[in-house]
Amino acid sequence: MGDSTKQGLGSSGLSRRGFIAGTSSILGVAALGGRAGAAVRTAVPATAPIGDGARVPALVIGTGYGGSVAALRLAQAGVNVHMVEMGMAWDTPGPDGKIFANTTNPDARSYWLRTKTKQPLSNFLGFPIDRSIPRHTGILDAEEFSGITVYQGRGVGGGSLVNGGMAVTPKRENFAAILPSVNADEMYGTYYPRANAALGVATIDPAWFDTADCYQYARVGRKHAQRSGFPFVFVPTVYDWDYMKREAAGTVPKSALAGEILYGNNHGKKSLQKTYLAQIRATGKVTISPLHRVTSVSPAAGGGYTVAIDQLDTSGATTATKTVTADRVFFAAGSVGTSKLLVKLKATGALPGLNGEIGKGWGDNGNVMCGRANHLWDPTGSLQASIPTGGIDNWAAGGAFAEVAPLPTGIETYASFYLSITKNPHRAEFSWNAAAGRADLNWQASWKQPSIDMAKTIFDKINKKEGTIYRTDLFGTYKIWGDHLTYHPLGGAVLNKATDNYGRLHGHPGLYVIDGALIPGNTSVNPFVSITALAERNIEKIIATDL
Ligand code: FAE
């Protein structure tokens, strides 16, 4: 698979790369790794708070994958774009010289408006590991709905700031089940290659994998998978593998090898800040308002849309309320953010033309976590790279793909840890709760059971073969399954249902959905490459026909 950097992103100069099949994702755990060095300011596009009363040709809500694709391609087509992002810019080092906090030492930067951390692995050896932190507009939002906690990135770069960088193109045979109305030939011939190139996707050098101390945990995972007859596949990522080799050699500041991940990577990971957003900056046609949250969109008297925006300070308080007008509005606030906005705007009559599919088709991508306790002769290593590189594929036979994830505690744990993506059939719906003034999601905790059953098709067999047991100390006391969360929210404004086949919202010309809300609940793999590729497909059509 290709190497990491150098992706031409000019509108006509996209390198066409072979699509990458495989699978996986990331974990989340407190680490005790080494110290990262000083970070440099990143080159995100110009940030300037939008003025009250401004008029813009195109307004993009959110700066994650969908929003970045839309803004870049619109700018390259000559359109001035304003991006509105509720999170911070993440372009300036803190007092410790680093932009992002380490997982070992969560601080104010780590969580979105919480006074206590909410780590995905809440316990270790049965003991709770969450701790008090100052309330701040930090980078990771653990948003709680009934029955599920949905983790999301907050800031310029969206989920790319906090995710594990697993960059996976679904197998083509699974694609029709995901998005049946989309031409797979076009996706696999043009848009997946375009997305992979622009994101800088690359796979680990297998020879290095076989020898690197920091991937002993993954080699143990491979050995156990293969001894039970399961295929182990390498997973492409957006980590700069040359950089990781230099981390291992001790010649550069450590990031993946210092356990950096959930609260941002100071080095090595090619977040959107280093890819799409850097390209956006080069166009000079895009401005971003960080710490601005869109609260309403409604038809404007003279055409276009009136967009209401709250400006926030870093305590989360509203310091100004602005009203701007946009000819076109792109909803790219993520599956949850876009769905919450749209159900409110439909229910309150702000956008009366939206159809009955708004808020529907939401799923958790079948996420479920677990750990296994290995024998003393199977150590997984005290140094573990925070970027997963491979997984166990039992999708066709058992409905599960299990990423072999790190547990970078800095000590030998003899534990193998996994995040499984499963074929969970349950779909939830967002609805507007007028009395409470918020959007609710009707997910039920028991809906994770099919995911557990599918994950067990892999791990029961491995445990039997290896004579091992599940860990019961990572998600509580005597609790095997991490079944309370998702990293991969998808759906809520599904393509070809709430929108037309290119993301145009029904009933309101000039309004578009261009993020994970379009994908109906599951991608069979980690979602961001699919979100990016679908956005590339849709924005190309929208620019060609609507502008
Ligand atoms: P997203 O990236 O979430 O961007 C939405 C943006 O909109 C955010 O920056 C929000 O702050 C902002 N926003 C929301 N509401 C508003 C509003 N009202 N006004 C203004 N701004 C707003 O959306 N995926 C993978 O493929 N591989 C992985 O390894 C992986 N690991 C993950 C690990 C973690 C811990 C998490 C949380 C996610 C992971 N994901 C992974 C999921 C991936 O990051 C996610 O699918 C994408 O980021 C979703 O992209 P969107 O463009 O839909």
PDB file of all heavy atoms in Angstrom, residues 454-466:
ATOM      1  N   MET A 454     -22.033 -11.460  18.273  1.00  0.00           N
ATOM      2  CA  MET A 454     -21.173 -11.542  17.081  1.00  0.00           C
ATOM      3  C   MET A 454     -19.697 -11.510  17.476  1.00  0.00           C
ATOM      4  O   MET A 454     -18.879 -12.240  16.927  1.00  0.00           O
ATOM      5  CB  MET A 454     -21.522 -10.412  16.119  1.00  0.00           C
ATOM      6  CG  MET A 454     -22.900 -10.597  15.481  1.00  0.00           C
ATOM      7  SD  MET A 454     -23.427  -9.134  14.551  1.00  0.00           S
ATOM      8  CE  MET A 454     -25.163  -9.486  14.346  1.00  0.00           C
ATOM      9  N   ALA A 455     -19.348 -10.660  18.441  1.00  0.00           N
ATOM     10  CA  ALA A 455     -17.948 -10.610  18.900  1.00  0.00           C
ATOM     11  C   ALA A 455     -17.552 -11.949  19.518  1.00  0.00           C
ATOM     12  O   ALA A 455     -16.415 -12.416  19.359  1.00  0.00           O
ATOM     13  CB  ALA A 455     -17.768  -9.476  19.903  1.00  0.00           C
ATOM     14  N   LYS A 456     -18.500 -12.585  20.175  1.00  0.00           N
ATOM     15  CA  LYS A 456     -18.202 -13.882  20.801  1.00  0.00           C
ATOM     16  C   LYS A 456     -17.884 -14.962  19.759  1.00  0.00           C
ATOM     17  O   LYS A 456     -17.209 -15.947  20.087  1.00  0.00           O
ATOM     18  CB  LYS A 456     -19.385 -14.331  21.682  1.00  0.00           C
ATOM     19  CG  LYS A 456     -19.375 -13.661  23.060  1.00  0.00           C
ATOM     20  CD  LYS A 456     -20.746 -13.752  23.750  1.00  0.00           C
ATOM     21  CE  LYS A 456     -21.092 -15.140  24.234  1.00  0.00           C
ATOM     22  NZ  LYS A 456     -20.397 -15.527  25.467  1.00  0.00           N
ATOM     23  N   THR A 457     -18.363 -14.779  18.515  1.00  0.00           N
ATOM     24  CA  THR A 457     -18.009 -15.780  17.490  1.00  0.00           C
ATOM     25  C   THR A 457     -16.496 -15.829  17.304  1.00  0.00           C
ATOM     26  O   THR A 457     -15.937 -16.831  16.882  1.00  0.00           O
ATOM     27  CB  THR A 457     -18.668 -15.503  16.114  1.00  0.00           C
ATOM     28  OG1 THR A 457     -18.147 -14.286  15.549  1.00  0.00           O
ATOM     29  CG2 THR A 457     -20.184 -15.425  16.214  1.00  0.00           C
ATOM     30  N   ILE A 458     -15.824 -14.728  17.623  1.00  0.00           N
ATOM     31  CA  ILE A 458     -14.359 -14.701  17.543  1.00  0.00           C
ATOM     32  C   ILE A 458     -13.731 -15.113  18.877  1.00  0.00           C
ATOM     33  O   ILE A 458     -12.914 -16.028  18.944  1.00  0.00           O
ATOM     34  CB  ILE A 458     -13.859 -13.294  17.149  1.00  0.00           C
ATOM     35  CG1 ILE A 458     -14.354 -12.921  15.739  1.00  0.00           C
ATOM     36  CG2 ILE A 458     -12.331 -13.233  17.225  1.00  0.00           C
ATOM     37  CD1 ILE A 458     -14.007 -11.502  15.306  1.00  0.00           C
ATOM     38  N   PHE A 459     -14.142 -14.439  19.957  1.00  0.00           N
ATOM     39  CA  PHE A 459     -13.344 -14.544  21.187  1.00  0.00           C
ATOM     40  C   PHE A 459     -13.646 -15.787  22.017  1.00  0.00           C
ATOM     41  O   PHE A 459     -12.774 -16.277  22.717  1.00  0.00           O
ATOM     42  CB  PHE A 459     -13.491 -13.262  22.009  1.00  0.00           C
ATOM     43  CG  PHE A 459     -13.058 -12.063  21.225  1.00  0.00           C
ATOM     44  CD1 PHE A 459     -13.960 -11.078  20.874  1.00  0.00           C
ATOM     45  CD2 PHE A 459     -11.747 -11.960  20.777  1.00  0.00           C
ATOM     46  CE1 PHE A 459     -13.566  -9.995  20.116  1.00  0.00           C
ATOM     47  CE2 PHE A 459     -11.340 -10.884  20.019  1.00  0.00           C
ATOM     48  CZ  PHE A 459     -12.258  -9.897  19.682  1.00  0.00           C
ATOM     49  N   ASP A 460     -14.863 -16.310  21.935  1.00  0.00           N
ATOM     50  CA  ASP A 460     -15.108 -17.582  22.621  1.00  0.00           C
ATOM     51  C   ASP A 460     -14.205 -18.663  22.027  1.00  0.00           C
ATOM     52  O   ASP A 460     -13.635 -19.488  22.747  1.00  0.00           O
ATOM     53  CB  ASP A 460     -16.583 -18.008  22.472  1.00  0.00           C
ATOM     54  CG  ASP A 460     -17.512 -17.279  23.440  1.00  0.00           C
ATOM     55  OD1 ASP A 460     -17.017 -16.420  24.204  1.00  0.00           O
ATOM     56  OD2 ASP A 460     -18.729 -17.549  23.420  1.00  0.00           O
ATOM     57  N   LYS A 461     -14.066 -18.625  20.702  1.00  0.00           N
ATOM     58  CA  LYS A 461     -13.260 -19.644  20.030  1.00  0.00           C
ATOM     59  C   LYS A 461     -11.782 -19.477  20.399  1.00  0.00           C
ATOM     60  O   LYS A 461     -11.087 -20.461  20.684  1.00  0.00           O
ATOM     61  CB  LYS A 461     -13.468 -19.525  18.517  1.00  0.00           C
ATOM     62  CG  LYS A 461     -12.902 -20.685  17.733  1.00  0.00           C
ATOM     63  CD  LYS A 461     -13.358 -20.649  16.272  1.00  0.00           C
ATOM     64  CE  LYS A 461     -12.690 -21.769  15.483  1.00  0.00           C
ATOM     65  NZ  LYS A 461     -12.908 -21.638  14.046  1.00  0.00           N
ATOM     66  N   ILE A 462     -11.311 -18.225  20.390  1.00  0.00           N
ATOM     67  CA  ILE A 462      -9.901 -17.992  20.731  1.00  0.00           C
ATOM     68  C   ILE A 462      -9.639 -18.392  22.186  1.00  0.00           C
ATOM     69  O   ILE A 462      -8.642 -19.061  22.490  1.00  0.00           O
ATOM     70  CB  ILE A 462      -9.513 -16.520  20.471  1.00  0.00           C
ATOM     71  CG1 ILE A 462      -9.487 -16.246  18.965  1.00  0.00           C
ATOM     72  CG2 ILE A 462      -8.147 -16.201  21.099  1.00  0.00           C
ATOM     73  CD1 ILE A 462      -9.132 -14.813  18.586  1.00  0.00           C
ATOM     74  N   ASN A 463     -10.530 -18.003  23.081  1.00  0.00           N
ATOM     75  CA  ASN A 463     -10.334 -18.367  24.490  1.00  0.00           C
ATOM     76  C   ASN A 463     -10.282 -19.881  24.671  1.00  0.00           C
ATOM     77  O   ASN A 463      -9.475 -20.399  25.444  1.00  0.00           O
ATOM     78  CB  ASN A 463     -11.455 -17.775  25.360  1.00  0.00           C
ATOM     79  CG  ASN A 463     -11.181 -16.330  25.744  1.00  0.00           C
ATOM     80  OD1 ASN A 463     -10.036 -15.882  25.757  1.00  0.00           O
ATOM     81  ND2 ASN A 463     -12.238 -15.595  26.068  1.00  0.00           N
ATOM     82  N   LYS A 464     -11.146 -20.573  23.942  1.00  0.00           N
ATOM     83  CA  LYS A 464     -11.164 -22.031  24.077  1.00  0.00           C
ATOM     84  C   LYS A 464      -9.847 -22.631  23.583  1.00  0.00           C
ATOM     85  O   LYS A 464      -9.235 -23.468  24.247  1.00  0.00           O
ATOM     86  CB  LYS A 464     -12.344 -22.585  23.250  1.00  0.00           C
ATOM     87  CG  LYS A 464     -12.657 -24.021  23.547  1.00  0.00           C
ATOM     88  CD  LYS A 464     -14.027 -24.425  23.003  1.00  0.00           C
ATOM     89  CE  LYS A 464     -14.206 -25.921  23.219  1.00  0.00           C
ATOM     90  NZ  LYS A 464     -14.756 -26.606  22.081  1.00  0.00           N
ATOM     91  N   LYS A 465      -9.416 -22.149  22.436  1.00  0.00           N
ATOM     92  CA  LYS A 465      -8.185 -22.674  21.836  1.00  0.00           C
ATOM     93  C   LYS A 465      -6.974 -22.372  22.720  1.00  0.00           C
ATOM     94  O   LYS A 465      -6.083 -23.210  22.886  1.00  0.00           O
ATOM     95  CB  LYS A 465      -8.009 -22.028  20.452  1.00  0.00           C
ATOM     96  CG  LYS A 465      -6.723 -22.360  19.746  1.00  0.00           C
ATOM     97  CD  LYS A 465      -6.826 -23.711  19.080  1.00  0.00           C
ATOM     98  CE  LYS A 465      -5.496 -24.093  18.457  1.00  0.00           C
ATOM     99  NZ  LYS A 465      -5.505 -25.499  18.039  1.00  0.00           N
ATOM    100  N   GLU A 466      -6.924 -21.145  23.258  1.00  0.00           N
ATOM    101  CA  GLU A 466      -5.748 -20.724  24.031  1.00  0.00           C
ATOM    102  C   GLU A 466      -5.852 -21.103  25.504  1.00  0.00           C
ATOM    103  O   GLU A 466      -4.883 -20.931  26.254  1.00  0.00           O
ATOM    104  CB  GLU A 466      -5.556 -19.201  23.922  1.00  0.00           C
ATOM    105  CG  GLU A 466      -5.383 -18.673  22.500  1.00  0.00           C
ATOM    106  CD  GLU A 466      -4.116 -19.197  21.824  1.00  0.00           C
ATOM    107  OE1 GLU A 466      -3.105 -19.407  22.527  1.00  0.00           O
ATOM    108  OE2 GLU A 466      -4.166 -19.424  20.590  1.00  0.00           O
TER     109      GLU A 466
END
